[in-house]
Amino acid sequence: MHNQDLHTKDQQFYLPTFKRIPITFIKGKGSNLWDIENKKYIDLLAGIAVNNVGHCHPKVVKAIQEQAADLMHISNFFVSPPQVALAELLVNLSGLDRVFFTNSGAESVEGAIKIARRYAHSIGRGGKIISMHNSFHGRTLATIATGQPKYQEGFGPMPQGFVQVPFNDLEALKNEISKDLAAVIIEPIQGEGGIRPADVSYLKSVKELCEKEDVVLIFDEIQSGIARTGKWFAKDIYEIQPDIMTLAKGLGGGTPIGAFLCNEKIAKAIQFGDHGTTFGGNPLATSAALATLKVIVEENLLQSAHDKGLWLKAKLEELKLTNPVIKEVRGEGLMLGVELAIPATELVQNLLKAGIIANATAINVLRLVPPLNIPMEDLEQFIEILSVEIKKFQIPKS
Ligand SMILES: *Cc1c(COP(=O)(O)O)cnc(C)c1O
C-alpha cells in the first residue's frame, strides 16, 4: 500500500487523538529511520526518548527472538529468569530496594501513587499528592489529575486529592504541607514541560522537607532515566535518592515495559494483593529490557550520552549567538531542549523535510532526545541542517 492510502485509512479507522504527520515508517536501524518511499531520516526523537540504544539494536532483537521462541508470558503467579535478573539489575543500578514491572509510564506513575498513599495511610497521613505546574505523568485519570489542566478538560470528574504547585518554588510547596499530604511527585528534569531541569538547591530542599515530614518523595524518571542524561537516572546528577522512582520509555529498547522502584520503608506498607498486573514484567518484555540495559553497559552509553550531549549543547549554544530566535538551550546529556522565541512547529516541519526527526514540546521548545549511540556524523549533519533552517526564522516584531 502507498503512503497516501495508508494515511487515508489511518484517518478513517484510528481514534483521532493524534494529529498524524503523513509519513509512514517501515524500517529503523540505529539512529536512522526509513519511510515507505525509502527516504532516510536521522531520528533525534527516538520514539520520544524510547530508543535509547537505537532502532532494532541487534542484541535486543536477538533477545526478543530467542525469548519469544522459549516463553513469552506466564502471569505473575510464577517466577521467570529474565524478570528476576532485571529486578536485581534495576535494584542495583538505582540503590532502591524493590521493583514492580508495568506496561507503560502512566501505569508506573499510577502504581507509585498507590503505594505512596498506602504508606502514608499506614503512618496516619492523608492521601494528597502534590505535583508540579507543567509536569507530565501520563494520560490515565490519576495521572492527568497530576498534570496540566489542558489534559483534564472534558474528562471530569477528576480523581480527588491532587494539588499542583509551581515548579522550582519551595515556598509554594511548603504552604501545601499538612497531615493530609502523602507524597510529592517531581520530574527532576521536566520533559513534556519543555526540558526544564529542577534547580539543585530546590530539589535538595524538597528532599530534606519530605524526609523531615515523612512525606513520600516520588521521582518520575520515565523520560530522564535509562542513561538519557549521561547518568543511569537524573537523580544521580542531583545526588538525591527518592523514596519511589518511576521508569518506562527507554527501559525496553522499544518494547512496552515500565517499572516503579521503592525503598524498603515504602515496600513494608505493601501486602499481598495490594497491587497487580497481568502483563507487567512478562518474560518477553523483561528479556528485551535486560538486553537493552546490557547494551548500555557494554557500549558505554552513559559516557556517550554525556560526551555527545556536551558537544551538541555547545553547538546549539554557538548557534544561539548568531540566531536571536534561540532563547535558551537546556538539559543534561542527550535530553536537550532549545527554547525559541516563536512556536517550534514550523521549524520541526522544515527539519522533517530535510530528513531530521525532532519534535516541538511545550509549544516553543525543540526537543532533542536521540539514541544515545547516535554517530557523531549524524549529529554533525543535524547541526549543519539546523544552522540553515534556523536562519529562516526571526523574532517577530511586536
Ligand atoms: C512519557 C511520560 C509519561 C507517560 O508514559 P506513557 O508510557 O506514555 O504512559 C510519564 N511521565 C513522564 C515524565 C513521561 O515523560
Side-chain angles (χ1 to χ4, degrees):
M1 221 183 270
H2 294 296
N3 188 49
Q4 188 50 52
D5 302 334
L6 284 161
H7 182 54
T8 306
K9 268 198 193 291
D10 176 69
Q11 296 298 95
Q12 184 183 351
F13 295 120
Y14 192 85
L15 195 70
T17 53
F18 293 99
K19 197 170 179 191
R20 299 268 208 219
I21 298 160
I23 297 177
T24 309
F25 287 113
I26 51 164
K27 191 171 171 54
K29 186 143 194 59
S31 56
N32 296 129
L33 280 172
W34 285 265
D35 72 15
I36 198 163
E37 279 142 15
N38 211 27
K39 177 175 166 182
K40 184 181 174 183
Y41 296 79
I42 295 172
D43 186 7
L44 298 161
L45 179 61
I48 320 182
V50 166
N51 302 296
N52 290 15
V53 300
H55 291 279
C56 303
H57 192 289
K59 287 189 174 159
V60 178
V61 171
K62 185 160 177 269
I64 292 171
Q65 285 172 337
E66 287 179 359
Q67 189 63 51
D70 282 345
L71 181 68
M72 287 191 242
H73 182 83
I74 45 172
S75 90
N76 278 304
F77 297 147
F78 301 98
V79 180
S80 81
Q83 192 189 83
V84 173
L86 183 64
E88 182 176 18
L89 183 53
L90 282 176
V91 161
N92 288 337
L93 291 175
S94 68
L96 289 163
D97 300 310
R98 301 270 181 173
V99 65
F100 183 93
F101 293 112
T102 70
N103 308 286
S104 69
E107 215 186 308
S108 303
V109 174
E110 290 269 348
I113 291 169
K114 277 181 72 181
I115 63 166
R117 281 185 169 170
R118 197 74 157 123
Y119 172 76
H121 295 325
S122 79
I123 57 163
R125 301 190 72 101
K128 190 171 86 175
I129 308 287
I130 293 181
S131 58
M132 302 295 137
H133 285 176
N134 280 320
S135 64
F136 183 80
H137 300 294
R139 294 299 203 102
T140 59
L141 281 168
T143 56
I144 61 173
T146 67
Q148 303 176 33
K150 68 173 180 189
Y151 293 126
Q152 301 175 5
E153 259 167 53
F155 294 114
M158 281 294 110
Q160 296 297 294
F162 295 89
V163 176
Q164 280 139 50
V165 298
F167 188 45
N168 279 329
D169 183 341
L170 192 64
E171 287 310 306
L173 181 60
K174 278 184 180 163
N175 288 338
E176 289 293 338
I177 295 203
S178 67
K179 280 298 274 180
D180 253 4
L181 181 62
V184 177
I185 181 164
I186 301 186
E187 297 157 84
I189 302 175
Q190 288 189 334
E192 304 305 301
I195 316 290
R196 294 178 192 279
D199 298 335
V200 177
S201 62
Y202 168 75
L203 213 51
K204 286 205 192 303
S205 302
V206 172
K207 167 71 184 175
E208 275 168 28
L209 198 61
C210 287
E211 211 155 47
K212 189 170 124 244
E213 303 282 340
D214 207 355
V215 165
V216 179
L217 180 60
I218 306 169
F219 278 179
D220 182 347
E221 295 242 25
I222 288 166
Q223 194 159 153
S224 57
I226 318 295
R228 174 66 39 208
T229 63
K231 299 274 188 185
W232 274 108
F233 312 103
K235 73 180 179 66
D236 303 333
I237 297 175
Y238 291 89
E239 298 180 316
I240 297 171
Q241 190 69 322
D243 297 295
I244 303 176
M245 175 171 69
T246 58
L247 298 173
K249 291 203 165 86
L251 178 58
T255 308
I257 179 170
F260 59 87
L261 290 114
C262 68
N263 59 27
E264 202 56 39
K265 182 180 89 170
I266 305 292
K268 279 206 171 77
I270 299 300
Q271 279 150 23
F272 291 129
D274 276 352
H275 195 51
T277 170
T278 299
F279 284 125
N282 82 11
L284 189 65
T286 46
S287 60
L290 201 54
T292 302
L293 299 183
K294 278 186 187 157
V295 167
I296 291 173
V297 173
E298 286 166 12
E299 296 186 9
N300 213 357
L301 295 187
L302 275 78
Q303 194 67 43
S304 175
H306 176 264
D307 295 350
K308 288 169 184 173
L310 278 185
W311 183 90
L312 187 54
K313 205 173 184 184
K315 289 287 173 191
L316 295 166
E317 291 286 0
E318 219 176 287
L319 279 183
K320 180 175 165 237
L321 295 177
T322 49
N323 293 278
V325 75
I326 298 180
K327 277 175 70 181
E328 196 180 18
V329 181
R330 293 188 293 262
E332 295 284 341
L334 285 173
M335 182 175 182
L336 296 176
V338 184
E339 185 173 330
L340 306 180
I342 53 167
T345 27
E346 203 182 328
L347 174 63
V348 165
Q349 283 164 8
N350 293 355
L351 287 173
L352 200 55
K353 279 188 203 125
I356 301 287
I357 302 167
N359 92 321
T361 187
I363 300 167
N364 61 345
V365 179
L366 180 72
R367 170 169 46 186
L368 305 169
V369 284
L372 310 179
N373 53 3
I374 184 170
M376 282 309 295
E377 303 84 76
D378 280 5
L379 287 179
E380 281 160 12
Q381 201 178 333
F382 161 64
I383 286 294
E384 235 169 78
I385 292 170
L386 180 65
S387 57
V388 172
E389 294 299 332
I390 196 77
K391 283 193 177 56
K392 298 176 184 167
F393 294 94
Q394 259 94 48
I395 295 181
K397 295 191 179 70
S398 50

